[in-house]
Amino acid sequence: MAPDLRDLVEKLRSSGGDYTNVEVKSAAGGLPSSLTSTLSALANHPGGGIIILGLDERNDFRPVALTDPQILKQSLAKKARTFKPPVQLAIEDTMVDGEPVVVAIVHECAPSAKPCRVNATGAAYLRGYDGDFQMSALEEQAFLASRQPPHFDRLPVAGATRDDLDNDLVDDFARTVRLRDRRGLGRFDGDELLRRAGVITPEGIPTVAGLLTLGTYPQQWFPRLVIQAAAEPNPADTTGTRARNQVTITGPIPRMLDAALEWAEQTFDTAIVTRPDGTVVDMPSYPLVAFRELIANALLHRDLDCWSRGMAVEVRLRKDRLVVTNPGGLYGITVDRLGREAVTSARNMWLVTISQYLRSPESGGRVIEALATGIPTITQALIDSGLPPAQYADAGIRFTAVLKSGSPSLRSGVRRGTEQQTRSTPSELSRPTDQWRPTATQEKILHILSAGPHGVLDLQPLLALSASGIRKALAELRDAGMVEQIGGRGQRTVYRLAG
């Protein structure tokens, strides 16, 4: 079995279900008819996906006996030709736990040809966490619109005038421009600066980007370009309440960002945590800095085409996770590259350009930095809070970020757990502690593991290291008695703090 497939099967067994870009079928009775929608959905999915035939999801993804793998491959290749455009596949045989399985790499359809449709019905499908879904006419329109570079943030807003801009925000924007770019955009004054920045057109009409960033009330023209936030009722609530702290946040982006943080402060649960220096602080269930980055990204990178203007940025606080969703998929980057490369590609380049000179009306901090530091900031904040890594899903026309909650006892004990392990180490080591100490990477691994067991693939996006480098660091920690290895041949391997 190829190393990448071995790791993938380990992840499937750990999660207990398929991933957005992975579909597993037992295929014990032949090629499943449900693969018709799956092939279309994966061809429309950013980066394509993988189909594995020969594993039983209901039996911990163990192999099942395939009657004739060769016929399965032929049938799959034949089905791939029943789409417009035809689905491009790379099919191969491999082994899992000593048994044959069939793996098909489904290549993403060219953006200029999306959506990929079923010839017989004309239907096109999208991939979701819970399966494949037939596209609505609005979703198909989104794929058709994406065939050309977006420019919707530069369009003038009919009926808006220069008076519809917030003078306080405009003045602060101009001051920041002159401070940070005095030899470029800062050389201009007044409306000329606004024109050259893309806030207004040469005729003095505010652009979409200008209104969203500096407008007095952009929702006068775009009623649904808002944030809709709500939390699930408390478990003890027996009144039939459907949601709590439900709000619709409006205004220009800097003010919406401040209001979203205020909502989070009022809504997130908090725990009392003792820091290593002895100070006692309230720690929210999700780090506010991570939440802020997610909201800023959602507001700035959401789609602004006509098809999406009826959709809001949505925030849902559930009992075990925080979900932030915005219309429009990633632009110029894929999920697997998020946080690993300093890519600053922007769907709304004028909106982002203006926003990098904006400051929060309340805190005075920058709205964004435009340096591709948002995802690394989220990653580090979650590590520091003892929470699992963020999950990101790009459905092509919709982007979702999920933060999972951690056990309160684990989170409050992140520091204590590491310190306790350090104190117990000398009696377990066969060499003096002054000859070996954890590296900075290993210290980070210990902090992550204090939130619960992790596998190598779980650690990779958090550490930005190769799998072999992480295994080496874990082996040293294991030899030092600081972590324990769980699992082995034929099973998912994870590591946890020793003791």
Side-chain angles (χ1 to χ4, degrees):
M1 180 168 46
D4 56 343
L5 184 57
R6 180 184 296 109
D7 289 340
L8 177 56
V9 172
E10 284 187 4
K11 289 184 68 176
L12 290 169
R13 288 171 177 169
S14 174
S15 64
D18 295 342
Y19 285 83
T20 307
N21 64 335
V22 180
E23 181 69 25
V24 178
K25 299 291 186 182
S26 71
L31 194 70
S33 60
S34 60
L35 285 183
T36 298
S37 59
T38 299
L39 285 167
S40 167
L42 290 178
N44 289 320
H45 190 72
I50 300 173
I51 295 174
I52 304 176
L53 304 179
L55 298 180
D56 187 354
E57 180 178 355
R58 292 172 298 180
N59 187 27
D60 197 28
F61 295 94
R62 300 300 172 186
V64 299
L66 296 178
T67 304
D68 193 330
Q70 189 63 28
I71 291 180
L72 270 182
K73 292 190 295 181
Q74 293 173 353
S75 300
L76 190 57
K78 181 178 179 180
K79 182 178 283 290
R81 295 193 291 272
T82 63
F83 298 85
K84 182 178 181 182
V87 176
Q88 301 299 310
L89 296 177
I91 306 175
E92 62 181 40
D93 295 305
T94 187
M95 306 288 285
V96 173
D97 296 346
E99 298 292 335
V101 298
V102 174
V103 178
I105 308 299
V106 181
H107 296 290
E108 180 185 0
C109 180
S112 60
K114 286 184 180 180
C116 175
R117 303 176 184 274
V118 181
N119 278 338
T121 63
Y125 292 84
L126 281 175
R127 188 74 173 157
Y129 277 115
D130 300 323
D132 309 314
F133 304 92
Q134 185 171 346
M135 288 187 197
S136 66
L138 195 64
E139 290 168 329
E140 291 188 19
Q141 182 183 347
F143 276 101
L144 295 174
S146 66
R147 295 181 178 182
Q148 298 179 353
H151 57 275
F152 305 102
D153 59 337
R154 189 67 192 270
L155 295 177
V157 179
T161 68
R162 172 65 176 77
D163 292 338
D164 291 306
L165 299 181
D166 185 314
N167 288 329
D168 291 338
L169 293 178
V170 169
D171 291 344
D172 188 67
F173 169 75
R175 282 194 298 270
T176 304
V177 169
R178 284 192 289 269
L179 178 66
R180 295 173 52 197
D181 190 21
R182 62 188 181 88
R183 291 187 176 88
L185 184 60
R187 294 183 295 124
F188 307 102
D189 294 313
D191 284 2
E192 184 178 6
L193 185 152
L194 298 180
R195 284 194 296 271
R196 293 182 181 273
V199 176
I200 60 177
T201 67
E203 295 75 29
I205 301 173
T207 63
V208 173
L211 274 181
L212 291 180
T213 53
L214 302 175
T216 302
Y217 188 66
Q219 288 72 30
Q220 178 179 346
W221 292 271
F222 309 111
R224 296 294 294 165
L225 298 193
V226 300
I227 302 171
Q228 286 194 320
E232 284 188 347
N234 291 318
D237 191 326
T238 59
T239 63
T241 303
R242 295 186 179 183
R244 61 186 177 89
N245 288 22
Q246 182 175 0
V247 297
T248 298
I249 298 173
T250 64
I253 285 176
R255 300 191 190 282
M256 280 202 290
L257 191 55
D258 285 341
L261 281 172
E262 181 179 357
W263 175 86
E265 291 172 346
Q266 296 172 351
T267 308
F268 291 174
D269 291 334
T270 58
I272 300 174
V273 179
T274 302
R275 288 177 171 171
D277 62 2
T279 58
V280 179
V281 297
D282 289 335
M283 178 181 286
S285 52
Y286 300 96
L288 295 179
V289 64
F291 177 74
R292 182 193 183 283
E293 292 295 336
L294 289 178
I295 296 299
N297 285 342
L299 292 172
L300 293 173
H301 299 296
R302 63 155 293 154
D303 194 284
L304 295 173
D305 193 2
C306 296
W307 73 267
S308 65
R309 290 187 183 177
M311 301 178 182
V313 169
E314 295 186 355
V315 180
R316 295 292 180 266
L317 178 62
R318 307 194 184 281
K319 61 181 180 181
D320 63 344
R321 65 192 60 204
L322 174 68
V323 183
V324 179
T325 304
N326 63 267
L330 293 176
Y331 183 79
I333 191 171
T334 55
V335 167
D336 61 313
R337 294 166 59 200
L338 283 176
R340 299 192 180 197
E341 302 178 23
V343 178
T344 57
S345 177
R347 172 191 305 279
N348 307 309
M349 60 180 179
W350 292 101
L351 189 65
V352 171
T353 299
I354 295 170
S355 295
Q356 68 182 340
Y357 296 109
L358 299 181
R359 294 186 177 275
S360 160
E362 295 190 10
S363 70
R366 292 183 179 183
V367 169
I368 62 167
E369 294 180 351
L371 296 174
T373 58
I375 299 299
T377 297
I378 294 170
T379 299
Q380 188 60 52
L382 295 175
I383 291 173
D384 293 343
S385 296
L387 294 177
Q391 295 181 339
Y392 304 103
D394 180 12
I397 60 173
R398 187 178 300 106
F399 183 77
T400 302
V402 180
L403 305 186
K404 291 187 176 181
S405 63
S407 164
S409 60
L410 284 173
R411 294 191 65 224
S412 62
V414 168
R415 300 287 184 181
R416 295 197 301 272
T418 303
E419 291 169 359
Q420 180 181 10
Q421 184 60 54
T422 302
R423 289 195 298 269
S424 65
T425 297
S427 63
E428 298 173 305
L429 293 177
S430 60
R431 51 191 169 184
T433 55
D434 59 357
Q435 295 182 14
W436 184 87
R437 294 183 183 279
T439 64
T441 295
Q442 289 168 334
E443 289 281 7
K444 186 175 290 188
I445 289 175
L446 293 174
H447 279 291
I448 298 171
L449 296 187
S450 63
H454 286 67
V456 172
L457 287 181
D458 302 323
L459 294 169
Q460 266 192 285
L462 304 177
L463 301 172
L465 290 176
S466 66
S468 61
I470 294 174
R471 288 191 180 96
K472 180 180 178 181
L474 285 166
E476 291 181 354
L477 289 170
R478 181 192 59 205
D479 293 342
M482 303 184 77
V483 302
E484 296 176 347
Q485 180 177 330
I486 308 171
R489 188 174 182 84
Q491 299 179 339
R492 169 173 161 78
T493 300
V494 296
Y495 297 82
R496 68 183 180 188
L497 291 180

